[in-house]
Coordinates of all heavy atoms in Angstrom, one line a residue:
M15 N 6.5 -28.1 88.6 CA 7.8 -27.5 89.1 C 8.8 -27.4 87.9 O 9.0 -28.4 87.2 CB 8.3 -28.4 90.2 CG 9.6 -27.8 90.8 SD 10.2 -28.9 92.1 CE 10.0 -27.8 93.5
A16 N 9.4 -26.3 87.8 CA 10.3 -26.1 86.7 C 11.6 -26.8 87.0 O 12.1 -26.8 88.2 CB 10.6 -24.6 86.5
R17 N 12.2 -27.3 86.0 CA 13.5 -28.0 86.1 C 14.6 -27.0 86.1 O 14.7 -26.1 85.3 CB 13.7 -29.0 84.9 CG 13.0 -30.2 85.0 CD 13.3 -31.2 83.9 NE 14.4 -30.7 83.1 CZ 15.1 -31.4 82.2 NH1 14.7 -32.7 82.0 NH2 16.0 -30.9 81.5
V18 N 15.5 -27.2 87.1 CA 16.7 -26.3 87.1 C 17.8 -27.1 86.4 O 18.1 -28.2 86.7 CB 17.1 -26.0 88.6 CG1 18.4 -25.2 88.6 CG2 16.0 -25.3 89.3
P19 N 18.4 -26.5 85.3 CA 19.5 -27.2 84.6 C 20.6 -27.6 85.5 O 21.0 -26.8 86.4 CB 19.9 -26.2 83.6 CG 18.8 -25.2 83.4 CD 18.1 -25.2 84.8
S20 N 21.2 -28.7 85.3 CA 22.4 -29.1 86.1 C 23.5 -28.2 86.0 O 24.3 -28.0 86.9 CB 22.8 -30.6 85.7 OG 23.2 -30.6 84.4
A21 N 23.6 -27.5 84.9 CA 24.7 -26.5 84.7 C 24.6 -25.4 85.7 O 25.6 -24.9 86.3 CB 24.7 -25.9 83.3
V22 N 23.3 -25.0 86.0 CA 23.1 -23.9 87.0 C 23.4 -24.4 88.4 O 24.0 -23.7 89.2 CB 21.6 -23.4 86.9 CG1 21.3 -22.5 88.0 CG2 21.4 -22.8 85.5
V23 N 23.0 -25.7 88.7 CA 23.2 -26.2 90.0 C 24.7 -26.3 90.3 O 25.2 -25.9 91.3 CB 22.6 -27.6 90.1 CG1 23.0 -28.3 91.5 CG2 21.1 -27.5 90.0
A24 N 25.5 -26.8 89.3 CA 26.9 -27.0 89.5 C 27.6 -25.6 89.6 O 28.5 -25.5 90.5 CB 27.5 -27.8 88.3
A25 N 27.3 -24.7 88.8 CA 28.0 -23.4 88.8 C 27.6 -22.7 90.1 O 28.5 -22.1 90.8 CB 27.6 -22.5 87.6
T26 N 26.4 -22.8 90.5 CA 25.9 -22.2 91.8 C 26.7 -22.8 93.0 O 27.0 -22.1 94.0 CB 24.4 -22.3 92.0 OG1 23.8 -21.7 90.9 CG2 23.9 -21.7 93.3
G27 N 26.9 -24.1 92.9 CA 27.7 -24.8 94.0 C 29.1 -24.2 94.1 O 29.6 -24.0 95.3
L28 N 29.7 -24.0 93.0 CA 31.1 -23.5 93.1 C 31.1 -22.1 93.5 O 31.9 -21.7 94.4 CB 31.8 -23.7 91.7 CG 32.1 -25.1 91.3 CD1 32.3 -25.3 89.8 CD2 33.3 -25.6 92.1
V29 N 30.3 -21.2 92.9 CA 30.3 -19.8 93.3 C 29.7 -19.6 94.7 O 30.3 -18.9 95.5 CB 29.5 -19.0 92.2 CG1 29.3 -17.6 92.7 CG2 30.1 -19.1 90.9
G30 N 28.6 -20.3 95.0 CA 28.0 -20.2 96.3 C 28.9 -20.7 97.4 O 28.9 -20.1 98.5
G31 N 29.5 -21.8 97.1 CA 30.4 -22.4 98.2 C 31.5 -21.4 98.5 O 31.8 -21.1 99.7
Y32 N 32.1 -20.8 97.5 CA 33.2 -19.8 97.8 C 32.6 -18.5 98.4 O 33.2 -18.0 99.4 CB 33.9 -19.4 96.5 CG 34.9 -18.3 96.7 CD1 36.0 -18.5 97.5 CD2 34.6 -17.0 96.3 CE1 36.9 -17.5 97.7 CE2 35.5 -15.9 96.6 CZ 36.7 -16.2 97.3 OH 37.5 -15.2 97.6
G33 N 31.4 -18.1 97.9 CA 30.8 -16.9 98.5 C 30.5 -17.1 100.0 O 30.7 -16.2 100.8
V34 N 29.9 -18.2 100.3 CA 29.5 -18.5 101.7 C 30.8 -18.6 102.6 O 30.8 -18.0 103.7 CB 28.7 -19.8 101.8 CG1 28.6 -20.3 103.3 CG2 27.3 -19.6 101.2
A35 N 31.8 -19.2 102.1 CA 33.1 -19.3 102.9 C 33.7 -18.0 103.1 O 34.1 -17.6 104.2 CB 34.0 -20.3 102.2
R36 N 33.7 -17.2 102.1 CA 34.3 -15.8 102.2 C 33.5 -14.9 103.1 O 34.0 -14.2 103.9 CB 34.4 -15.3 100.8 CG 34.9 -13.9 100.8 CD 36.0 -13.7 99.8 NE 36.5 -12.3 99.9 CZ 37.4 -11.9 99.0 NH1 37.8 -12.6 98.1 NH2 37.8 -10.7 99.2
R37 N 32.2 -15.0 102.9 CA 31.3 -14.1 103.7 C 31.2 -14.4 105.2 O 31.3 -13.5 106.0 CB 29.9 -14.2 103.1 CG 28.8 -13.4 103.8 CD 28.8 -12.0 103.3 NE 27.6 -11.3 103.9 CZ 27.6 -10.0 104.0 NH1 28.5 -9.3 103.5 NH2 26.5 -9.5 104.6
T38 N 31.2 -15.7 105.5 CA 31.1 -16.1 106.9 C 32.4 -16.4 107.6 O 32.5 -16.4 108.8 CB 30.3 -17.5 107.0 OG1 31.0 -18.5 106.3 CG2 28.9 -17.3 106.4
G39 N 33.5 -16.6 106.7 CA 34.8 -16.9 107.3 C 34.9 -18.3 107.8 O 35.9 -18.7 108.4
K40 N 33.9 -19.1 107.4 CA 33.9 -20.5 107.8 C 34.0 -21.4 106.5 O 33.0 -21.6 105.8 CB 32.6 -20.9 108.6 CG 32.5 -20.1 109.8 CD 31.3 -20.5 110.6 CE 31.1 -19.6 111.8 NZ 32.1 -19.6 112.8
R41 N 35.2 -21.9 106.3 CA 35.5 -22.7 105.1 C 34.6 -24.0 105.1 O 34.2 -24.4 104.0 CB 36.9 -23.1 105.0 CG 37.8 -21.8 104.8 CD 39.3 -22.1 104.9 NE 39.6 -22.9 103.7 CZ 40.8 -23.3 103.4 NH1 41.8 -23.0 104.2 NH2 41.1 -24.0 102.3
Q42 N 34.4 -24.5 106.2 CA 33.6 -25.8 106.3 C 32.1 -25.5 105.8 O 31.5 -26.4 105.2 CB 33.5 -26.3 107.7 CG 34.8 -26.7 108.3 CD 35.6 -25.6 109.0 OE1 35.2 -24.4 108.9 NE2 36.7 -25.9 109.6
L43 N 31.6 -24.4 106.1 CA 30.2 -24.0 105.7 C 30.2 -23.9 104.1 O 29.3 -24.4 103.5 CB 29.8 -22.8 106.4 CG 28.3 -22.4 106.2 CD1 27.4 -23.5 106.6 CD2 28.0 -21.1 107.0
G44 N 31.2 -23.2 103.6 CA 31.3 -23.1 102.2 C 31.5 -24.5 101.5 O 30.9 -24.8 100.5
G45 N 32.3 -25.4 102.2 CA 32.5 -26.7 101.7 C 31.2 -27.5 101.7 O 30.9 -28.3 100.8
A46 N 30.3 -27.3 102.7 CA 29.0 -27.9 102.7 C 28.1 -27.5 101.6 O 27.5 -28.3 100.9 CB 28.3 -27.6 104.1
V47 N 28.1 -26.2 101.3 CA 27.4 -25.7 100.1 C 27.9 -26.4 98.8 O 27.1 -26.9 98.0 CB 27.5 -24.2 100.0 CG1 26.9 -23.7 98.7 CG2 26.8 -23.5 101.2
L48 N 29.2 -26.4 98.7 CA 29.8 -27.0 97.5 C 29.4 -28.5 97.4 O 29.1 -29.0 96.3 CB 31.4 -26.9 97.7 CG 32.2 -27.5 96.5 CD1 32.3 -26.6 95.4 CD2 33.6 -27.9 97.1
A49 N 29.5 -29.2 98.5 CA 29.2 -30.7 98.5 C 27.7 -30.9 98.2 O 27.4 -31.8 97.4 CB 29.5 -31.3 99.8
V50 N 26.8 -30.2 98.8 CA 25.4 -30.4 98.6 C 25.0 -30.1 97.1 O 24.3 -30.9 96.5 CB 24.5 -29.6 99.5 CG1 23.0 -29.5 99.1 CG2 24.7 -30.1 101.0
A51 N 25.5 -29.0 96.6 CA 25.2 -28.7 95.2 C 25.9 -29.7 94.3 O 25.3 -30.1 93.2 CB 25.7 -27.3 94.8
G52 N 27.1 -30.2 94.6 CA 27.7 -31.2 93.8 C 27.0 -32.5 93.7 O 26.8 -33.1 92.7
A53 N 26.5 -32.9 94.9 CA 25.7 -34.1 95.0 C 24.4 -34.0 94.2 O 24.0 -34.9 93.5 CB 25.4 -34.5 96.4
A54 N 23.7 -32.8 94.3 CA 22.5 -32.6 93.5 C 22.8 -32.6 92.0 O 22.0 -33.2 91.2 CB 21.9 -31.3 93.9
A55 N 23.9 -32.0 91.6 CA 24.2 -32.0 90.2 C 24.6 -33.4 89.7 O 24.1 -33.8 88.6 CB 25.4 -31.0 89.9
A56 N 25.3 -34.1 90.5 CA 25.7 -35.5 90.1 C 24.5 -36.4 89.9 O 24.4 -37.2 89.0 CB 26.6 -36.1 91.2
Q57 N 23.5 -36.2 90.8 CA 22.2 -37.0 90.6 C 21.5 -36.6 89.3 O 21.1 -37.5 88.5 CB 21.3 -36.7 91.8 CG 20.0 -37.6 91.7 CD 19.1 -37.3 92.9 OE1 19.3 -36.5 93.7 NE2 18.1 -38.2 93.0
Q58 N 21.5 -35.3 89.0 CA 20.9 -34.9 87.7 C 21.7 -35.4 86.5 O 21.1 -35.9 85.5 CB 20.9 -33.4 87.6 CG 19.8 -32.8 88.5 CD 19.8 -31.2 88.4 OE1 20.9 -30.6 88.3 NE2 18.7 -30.7 88.3
W59 N 23.0 -35.4 86.6 CA 23.9 -35.9 85.5 C 23.7 -37.4 85.3 O 23.5 -37.8 84.2 CB 25.4 -35.6 85.8 CG 25.8 -34.2 85.9 CD1 25.2 -33.2 85.1 CD2 26.8 -33.6 86.7 NE1 25.8 -32.0 85.5 CE2 26.8 -32.2 86.4 CE3 27.7 -34.1 87.6 CZ2 27.7 -31.3 87.0 CZ3 28.5 -33.2 88.3 CH2 28.5 -31.8 87.9
R60 N 23.5 -38.1 86.4 CA 23.3 -39.6 86.3 C 22.0 -39.9 85.6 O 21.9 -40.7 84.7 CB 23.4 -40.2 87.6 CG 23.3 -41.7 87.6 CD 23.6 -42.4 89.0 NE 23.0 -41.7 90.1 CZ 23.7 -40.9 91.0 NH1 25.0 -40.7 90.8 NH2 23.1 -40.3 92.0
T61 N 20.9 -39.1 86.0 CA 19.6 -39.3 85.4 C 19.5 -38.9 84.0 O 18.9 -39.6 83.2 CB 18.6 -38.5 86.2 OG1 18.6 -38.9 87.6 CG2 17.2 -38.6 85.7
R62 N 20.2 -37.8 83.6 CA 20.1 -37.3 82.3 C 21.1 -37.8 81.3 O 20.8 -37.9 80.1 CB 20.2 -35.7 82.3 CG 19.1 -35.1 83.1 CD 19.3 -33.6 83.2 NE 18.2 -33.1 84.1 CZ 18.2 -31.9 84.5 NH1 19.1 -31.0 84.2 NH2 17.2 -31.4 85.3
A63 N 22.3 -38.2 81.8 CA 23.3 -38.6 80.8 C 23.9 -40.0 81.1 O 24.8 -40.4 80.4 CB 24.4 -37.5 80.7
G64 N 23.6 -40.6 82.2 CA 24.1 -41.9 82.6 C 25.3 -41.8 83.5 O 25.8 -40.7 83.8
G65 N 25.7 -43.0 84.0 CA 26.7 -43.1 85.0 C 28.1 -42.6 84.6 O 28.8 -42.0 85.4
R66 N 28.5 -43.0 83.4 CA 29.9 -42.6 83.0 C 30.0 -41.1 82.9 O 31.0 -40.5 83.3 CB 30.2 -43.2 81.6 CG 30.6 -44.6 81.8 CD 31.2 -45.1 80.5 NE 31.5 -46.5 80.6 CZ 31.9 -47.3 79.6 NH1 31.9 -46.9 78.4 NH2 32.2 -48.6 79.9
A67 N 29.0 -40.5 82.3 CA 29.0 -39.0 82.1 C 28.9 -38.3 83.5 O 29.6 -37.4 83.7 CB 27.8 -38.6 81.3
A68 N 28.1 -38.9 84.4 CA 28.0 -38.3 85.7 C 29.4 -38.4 86.4 O 29.8 -37.5 87.1 CB 27.0 -39.1 86.5
G69 N 30.1 -39.5 86.3 CA 31.4 -39.7 86.9 C 32.4 -38.7 86.3 O 33.2 -38.1 87.1
A70 N 32.4 -38.5 85.0 CA 33.3 -37.5 84.4 C 33.0 -36.1 84.8 O 33.9 -35.3 85.1 CB 33.2 -37.7 82.9
L71 N 31.7 -35.8 84.8 CA 31.3 -34.4 85.2 C 31.6 -34.2 86.7 O 32.0 -33.1 87.1 CB 29.8 -34.1 84.9 CG 29.6 -34.0 83.4 CD1 28.1 -34.0 83.2 CD2 30.2 -32.7 82.9
T72 N 31.4 -35.2 87.6 CA 31.7 -35.0 89.0 C 33.2 -34.8 89.1 O 33.7 -34.0 89.9 CB 31.3 -36.3 89.8 OG1 29.8 -36.4 89.6 CG2 31.7 -36.2 91.2
A73 N 34.0 -35.6 88.4 CA 35.5 -35.4 88.4 C 35.9 -34.0 88.0 O 36.7 -33.3 88.5 CB 36.2 -36.4 87.5
A74 N 35.2 -33.5 86.9 CA 35.4 -32.1 86.5 C 35.1 -31.1 87.5 O 35.8 -30.1 87.7 CB 34.6 -31.8 85.2
Y75 N 34.0 -31.3 88.3 CA 33.5 -30.4 89.3 C 34.6 -30.4 90.4 O 35.0 -29.3 90.9 CB 32.2 -31.0 89.9 CG 31.5 -30.1 90.9 CD1 30.7 -29.0 90.6 CD2 31.6 -30.4 92.3 CE1 30.1 -28.2 91.5 CE2 30.9 -29.7 93.2 CZ 30.2 -28.6 92.9 OH 29.5 -27.9 93.8
V76 N 35.1 -31.5 90.9 CA 36.1 -31.6 91.9 C 37.4 -31.0 91.4 O 38.1 -30.2 92.1 CB 36.3 -33.0 92.4 CG1 37.5 -33.1 93.3 CG2 35.0 -33.6 93.0
A77 N 37.8 -31.2 90.2 CA 39.0 -30.7 89.6 C 38.9 -29.1 89.5 O 39.8 -28.4 89.7 CB 39.3 -31.3 88.2
A78 N 37.7 -28.7 89.1 CA 37.5 -27.2 89.1 C 37.7 -26.6 90.4 O 38.3 -25.5 90.5 CB 36.1 -26.9 88.5
F79 N 37.1 -27.2 91.5 CA 37.3 -26.7 92.8 C 38.8 -26.6 93.2 O 39.3 -25.6 93.6 CB 36.5 -27.5 93.8 CG 36.9 -27.3 95.2 CD1 36.5 -26.1 95.8 CD2 37.6 -28.2 96.0 CE1 36.9 -25.8 97.2 CE2 37.9 -28.0 97.3 CZ 37.6 -26.8 97.9
A80 N 39.5 -27.7 93.0 CA 40.9 -27.8 93.3 C 41.7 -26.9 92.4 O 42.6 -26.2 92.9 CB 41.4 -29.3 93.1
G81 N 41.4 -26.8 91.2 CA 42.1 -25.9 90.3 C 41.9 -24.5 90.5 O 42.8 -23.6 90.1
S82 N 40.8 -24.1 91.1 CA 40.5 -22.7 91.3 C 41.5 -22.1 92.3 O 41.8 -20.9 92.2 CB 39.1 -22.5 91.8 OG 38.9 -23.0 93.1
H83 N 42.1 -22.9 93.2 CA 43.0 -22.4 94.2 C 44.3 -21.9 93.6 O 44.7 -20.7 93.8 CB 43.3 -23.4 95.3 CG 42.0 -23.7 96.1 ND1 41.0 -24.5 95.7 CD2 41.7 -23.2 97.3 CE1 40.1 -24.5 96.6 NE2 40.4 -23.7 97.6
P84 N 45.0 -22.7 92.8 CA 46.3 -22.1 92.2 C 46.0 -21.0 91.1 O 46.7 -20.1 91.0 CB 47.0 -23.3 91.5 CG 45.9 -24.4 91.5 CD 44.9 -24.1 92.5
L85 N 44.8 -21.2 90.4 CA 44.5 -20.2 89.4 C 44.2 -18.8 90.1 O 44.5 -17.8 89.6 CB 43.2 -20.6 88.7 CG 42.7 -19.7 87.6 CD1 43.8 -19.5 86.5 CD2 41.5 -20.3 87.0
A86 N 43.7 -18.9 91.3 CA 43.4 -17.6 92.1 C 44.6 -16.8 92.4 O 44.6 -15.6 92.4 CB 42.6 -17.9 93.4
K87 N 45.8 -17.5 92.5 CA 47.0 -16.8 92.8 C 47.5 -16.0 91.6 O 48.2 -15.1 91.7 CB 48.1 -17.8 93.2 CG 47.8 -18.5 94.5 CD 48.8 -19.5 94.9 CE 48.5 -20.1 96.3 NZ 49.4 -21.1 96.7
K88 N 47.0 -16.4 90.4 CA 47.4 -15.7 89.2 C 46.4 -14.6 88.7 O 46.8 -13.6 88.2 CB 47.6 -16.7 88.0 CG 48.7 -17.7 88.3 CD 48.8 -18.7 87.2 CE 49.8 -19.8 87.6 NZ 51.0 -19.8 86.8
V89 N 45.1 -14.9 88.9 CA 44.1 -14.0 88.4 C 43.2 -13.4 89.4 O 42.4 -12.5 89.1 CB 43.2 -14.7 87.3 CG1 44.0 -15.2 86.1 CG2 42.4 -15.8 87.9
G90 N 43.3 -13.8 90.6 CA 42.4 -13.3 91.7 C 41.4 -14.4 92.0 O 41.0 -15.2 91.2
A91 N 40.8 -14.3 93.2 CA 39.9 -15.3 93.7 C 38.6 -15.3 92.9 O 38.2 -16.4 92.4 CB 39.6 -15.0 95.2
W92 N 37.9 -14.2 92.8 CA 36.6 -14.2 92.2 C 36.7 -14.5 90.7 O 35.9 -15.3 90.2 CB 35.8 -12.9 92.4 CG 35.1 -12.9 93.7 CD1 35.4 -12.1 94.8 CD2 34.0 -13.7 94.0 NE1 34.5 -12.4 95.8 CE2 33.6 -13.3 95.3 CE3 33.3 -14.7 93.4 CZ2 32.5 -13.9 96.0 CZ3 32.2 -15.3 94.0 CH2 31.8 -14.9 95.3
P93 N 37.7 -13.9 89.9 CA 37.8 -14.4 88.5 C 38.1 -15.8 88.4 O 37.6 -16.5 87.5 CB 39.0 -13.5 88.0 CG 39.0 -12.3 88.9 CD 38.6 -12.8 90.3
S94 N 38.9 -16.4 89.3 CA 39.2 -17.8 89.2 C 37.9 -18.6 89.5 O 37.6 -19.6 88.7 CB 40.2 -18.2 90.3 OG 40.4 -19.6 90.4
V95 N 37.1 -18.3 90.5 CA 35.9 -19.1 90.8 C 34.9 -19.0 89.7 O 34.3 -19.9 89.3 CB 35.3 -18.6 92.2 CG1 33.9 -19.2 92.4 CG2 36.2 -19.0 93.3
L96 N 34.7 -17.7 89.2 CA 33.8 -17.6 88.1 C 34.2 -18.3 86.8 O 33.4 -18.9 86.1 CB 33.6 -16.1 87.8 CG 32.9 -15.3 89.0 CD1 32.9 -13.8 88.6 CD2 31.5 -15.8 89.2
G97 N 35.5 -18.3 86.6 CA 36.0 -19.0 85.4 C 35.8 -20.5 85.5 O 35.3 -21.1 84.5
V98 N 36.1 -21.1 86.6 CA 36.0 -22.6 86.7 C 34.5 -22.9 86.8 O 34.1 -24.0 86.2 CB 36.8 -23.2 87.9 CG1 38.2 -22.9 87.7 CG2 36.2 -22.7 89.2
A99 N 33.7 -22.1 87.4 CA 32.2 -22.4 87.4 C 31.7 -22.3 86.0 O 30.8 -23.1 85.6 CB 31.5 -21.3 88.3
G100 N 32.1 -21.3 85.2 CA 31.7 -21.3 83.8 C 32.1 -22.5 83.0 O 31.3 -23.0 82.2
A101 N 33.3 -22.9 83.2 CA 33.8 -24.1 82.5 C 32.9 -25.3 82.9 O 32.6 -26.1 82.0 CB 35.2 -24.3 82.8
V102 N 32.7 -25.5 84.1 CA 31.9 -26.7 84.6 C 30.4 -26.6 84.0 O 29.8 -27.5 83.6 CB 31.9 -26.8 86.1 CG1 30.8 -27.8 86.6 CG2 33.3 -27.3 86.6
A103 N 29.9 -25.4 84.0 CA 28.5 -25.1 83.5 C 28.5 -25.5 82.0 O 27.5 -26.1 81.6 CB 28.1 -23.7 83.8
V104 N 29.4 -25.1 81.3 CA 29.4 -25.4 79.8 C 29.5 -26.9 79.6 O 28.8 -27.4 78.8 CB 30.6 -24.6 79.1 CG1 30.8 -25.1 77.7 CG2 30.3 -23.1 79.1
A105 N 30.4 -27.5 80.3 CA 30.6 -29.0 80.2 C 29.3 -29.7 80.6 O 28.8 -30.6 79.9 CB 31.7 -29.5 81.1
S106 N 28.7 -29.3 81.7 CA 27.4 -29.9 82.2 C 26.3 -29.7 81.1 O 25.6 -30.6 80.8 CB 27.0 -29.2 83.5 OG 25.8 -29.8 84.0
W107 N 26.2 -28.5 80.6 CA 25.2 -28.2 79.6 C 25.4 -29.1 78.3 O 24.5 -29.7 77.8 CB 25.2 -26.8 79.2 CG 24.2 -26.5 78.1 CD1 22.9 -26.3 78.2 CD2 24.5 -26.5 76.7 NE1 22.3 -26.2 76.9 CE2 23.3 -26.3 76.0 CE3 25.7 -26.6 75.9 CZ2 23.2 -26.2 74.6 CZ3 25.6 -26.5 74.6 CH2 24.4 -26.3 73.9
A108 N 26.7 -29.2 77.9 CA 27.0 -29.9 76.7 C 26.7 -31.4 76.8 O 26.2 -32.1 75.9 CB 28.4 -29.7 76.3
V109 N 27.0 -32.0 78.0 CA 26.9 -33.4 78.2 C 25.5 -33.8 78.7 O 25.0 -34.9 78.2 CB 28.0 -33.9 79.2 CG1 27.8 -35.3 79.6 CG2 29.4 -33.7 78.7
A110 N 24.9 -33.0 79.6 CA 23.6 -33.5 80.2 C 22.4 -32.6 79.8 O 21.4 -33.2 79.5 CB 23.8 -33.6 81.7
D111 N 22.6 -31.3 79.9 CA 21.4 -30.5 79.8 C 20.9 -30.3 78.4 O 19.7 -30.2 78.1 CB 21.6 -29.1 80.4 CG 21.9 -29.2 81.9 OD1 21.3 -30.1 82.5 OD2 22.6 -28.3 82.4
R112 N 21.8 -30.2 77.4 CA 21.5 -30.0 76.0 C 20.6 -31.2 75.5 O 19.6 -30.9 74.8 CB 22.7 -29.9 75.2 CG 22.5 -29.7 73.7 CD 23.7 -29.5 73.0 NE 24.7 -30.6 73.3 CZ 25.6 -31.1 72.5 NH1 25.7 -30.6 71.2 NH2 26.4 -32.0 72.8
K113 N 20.9 -32.4 75.9 CA 20.1 -33.5 75.5 C 18.7 -33.6 76.1 O 17.8 -34.1 75.6 CB 20.9 -34.8 75.9 CG 22.2 -35.0 75.2 CD 22.9 -36.2 75.6 CE 24.2 -36.4 74.9 NZ 24.9 -37.5 75.4
A114 N 18.6 -33.0 77.4 CA 17.4 -33.0 78.1 C 16.4 -31.9 77.6 O 15.2 -32.0 77.9 CB 17.6 -32.9 79.6
A115 N 16.9 -30.9 76.9 CA 16.1 -29.8 76.6 C 15.2 -30.1 75.4 O 15.3 -31.0 74.7 CB 17.0 -28.6 76.2

């Protein structure tokens, strides 16, 4: 089975969570997607980079989610979500995926 980089899992959680919430009109469903992907990414981060790195990346994931809301007021919803997802993906790759490759 091919390994999915944690950067992809984290970015997909942020983008997918927003997409599901927007498409269905159910914020809780989008939140569930966000949470499941975040938990999966956190497990990968812990395995690949250790507990401290996983804690920091999890904090970045949550901060990206929270920060996307005020950013969306300035640049729009999709650009905001894509921007924070890209930032989390880059951080995830730099801290956890690059070492595992």
Side-chain angles (χ1 to χ4, degrees):
M15 179 182 247
R17 281 184 7 165
V18 177
S20 62
V22 172
V23 174
T26 300
L28 289 161
V29 173
Y32 175 69
V34 166
R36 177 134 184 184
R37 177 87 173 156
T38 65
K40 299 186 186 300
R41 294 175 69 177
Q42 298 87 349
L43 190 56
V47 171
L48 179 82
V50 168
Q57 183 178 10
Q58 288 180 316
W59 294 328
R60 187 173 39 258
T61 300
R62 295 178 186 169
R66 281 190 183 169
L71 288 168
T72 300
Y75 185 81
V76 172
F79 167 70
S82 70
H83 292 82
L85 181 60
K87 292 179 182 179
K88 296 180 187 245
V89 300
W92 277 112
S94 172
V95 170
L96 294 174
V98 300
V102 169
V104 168
S106 180
W107 176 82
V109 173
D111 295 333
R112 179 176 52 148
K113 295 176 183 178

